[in-house]
Amino acid sequence: MRRLFTLLLSLCLPALAQAETHTSAVDLGEHFRALGLRGTFVLYEPASERLQVYQAERAATRYTPASTFKVFNTLAGLDSAAVRDVDEVLPYGGKPQWMKVWERDMGLREAMRMSNVPIYQEVARRVGATRMQAYLQNVGYGNAQMGKVIDRFWLDGPLAISAIEQTQFLARLAQRQLPFSQAAMQATEEIMQIDRSPEYTLYAKTGWAANSQPGVGWWVGWVARQGKLYSFALNVDLRAQGDVDKRIPLGRRCLQALGVL
């Protein structure tokens, strides 16, 4: 398994090919089993380049990013000045939406929190295909394939990214090492914060890729804790009603088991 993981890692993420890799010393499987879920969890500590992985083969497999792409989309929108700031009110388009709460104009600060698809589709259209493709290639985001539909490629494909690649991308964002403006990265981090305590600050985003059977549920982000940074990515199969609501509880369990929360 270790040799298989090393091969998958070198193919999937050359930038981390030399990282110190480990299957998790903690049995994260018990947390997946307790919630009846199949999937993977990756924890990356950039200071030591140490990866801890549950289910290595799946961790290196690319899936549609779905709403986790709102992180990248925010960066692209702000860096390109297609969106002035995270509080500029953007139009949702006036059409009925899958979620009623999406049916109003709002800024990215609120749209990130409620994962508003039509608002972020507007961001992508404003960025435009040429700039978006350049951003994807410059960052090396997953397979960097946008296809021809500017406002659906992260929902339907062809864009795809692995859990390992998610942790690398997010670690670079948290360290301000992506090819976006410092202001864009700072603002994106600000609207991703979901929890804060005296010990840590948690930044995260969910995603639900419904373009496959079973669907794939994501929870990705990073934790800043006592001067250390840990990025993480969870993805799971969504097979039963209610599985989508288990993503965050499972992710938190994994982070707690690994001593990060």
Side-chain angles (χ1 to χ4, degrees):
M1 178 62 74
R2 177 66 177 272
R3 294 175 66 183
L4 171 62
F5 177 68
T6 302
L7 173 61
L8 289 166
L9 179 62
S10 65
L11 291 172
C12 177
L13 197 55
L16 288 182
Q18 302 303 316
E20 182 184 359
T21 59
H22 301 267
T23 55
S24 176
V26 179
D27 181 15
L28 297 181
E30 66 176 287
H31 303 293
F32 282 78
R33 292 188 292 272
L35 293 176
L37 295 174
R38 293 182 178 180
T40 187
F41 187 87
V42 179
L43 184 72
Y44 174 51
E45 188 177 355
S48 62
E49 294 193 332
R50 184 171 188 256
L51 278 169
Q52 296 186 73
V53 178
Y54 171 72
Q55 296 293 0
E57 184 172 359
R58 179 166 178 144
T61 301
R62 287 171 170 161
Y63 298 93
T64 306
S67 283
T68 66
F69 188 72
K70 287 182 171 69
V71 179
F72 190 103
N73 212 352
T74 300
L75 291 163
L78 295 173
D79 185 78
S80 66
V83 181
R84 184 178 65 251
D85 56 46
V86 296
D87 295 308
E88 179 186 354
V89 176
L90 304 176
Y92 82 93
K95 297 179 181 179
Q97 297 296 324
W98 179 63
M99 295 185 68
K100 193 70 177 177
V101 293
W102 292 351
E103 294 180 5
R104 61 183 176 84
D105 303 342
M106 65 182 67
L108 298 185
R109 186 187 304 276
E110 189 174 11
M112 176 74 79
R113 185 173 68 251
M114 62 176 59
S115 205
N116 190 318
V117 169
I119 294 296
Y120 272 94
Q121 289 179 306
E122 171 67 13
V123 174
R125 289 190 291 265
R126 289 187 179 195
V127 173
T130 300
R131 288 190 297 193
M132 187 68 82
Q133 185 64 72
Y135 282 134
L136 289 168
Q137 291 174 338
N138 289 342
V139 171
Y141 185 92
N143 63 7
Q145 293 181 15
M146 194 185 76
K148 297 181 180 180
V149 183
I150 184 60
D151 58 4
R152 296 288 307 179
F153 64 89
W154 66 93
L155 299 169
D156 304 328
L159 187 65
I161 190 169
S162 72
I164 294 172
E165 289 170 320
Q166 289 266 27
T167 63
Q168 171 73 354
F169 166 69
L170 293 163
R172 292 170 66 197
L173 170 56
Q175 296 175 103
R176 306 288 197 273
Q177 294 176 352
L178 290 171
F180 296 104
S181 70
Q182 292 296 309
M185 289 188 282
Q186 180 176 346
T188 302
E189 176 181 293
E190 178 186 342
I191 66 173
M192 285 183 65
Q193 182 179 316
I194 65 167
D195 193 10
R196 188 180 184 92
S197 78
E199 290 78 31
Y200 66 83
T201 306
L202 172 62
Y203 306 85
K205 183 69 192 76
T206 55
W208 180 358
N211 64 327
S212 63
Q213 290 298 326
V216 175
W218 288 98
W219 193 52
V220 306
W222 71 89
V223 178
R225 181 185 181 92
Q226 299 175 347
K228 292 186 177 181
L229 172 69
Y230 306 87
S231 59
F232 65 88
L234 166 84
N235 71 53
V236 294
D237 290 338
L238 303 177
R239 296 180 179 275
Q241 186 175 5
D243 281 353
V244 69
D245 296 326
K246 299 176 182 178
R247 295 167 298 175
I248 296 177
L250 175 56
R252 283 184 173 271
R253 285 191 185 193
C254 291
L255 290 170
Q256 290 165 354
L258 293 169
V260 176
L261 290 186

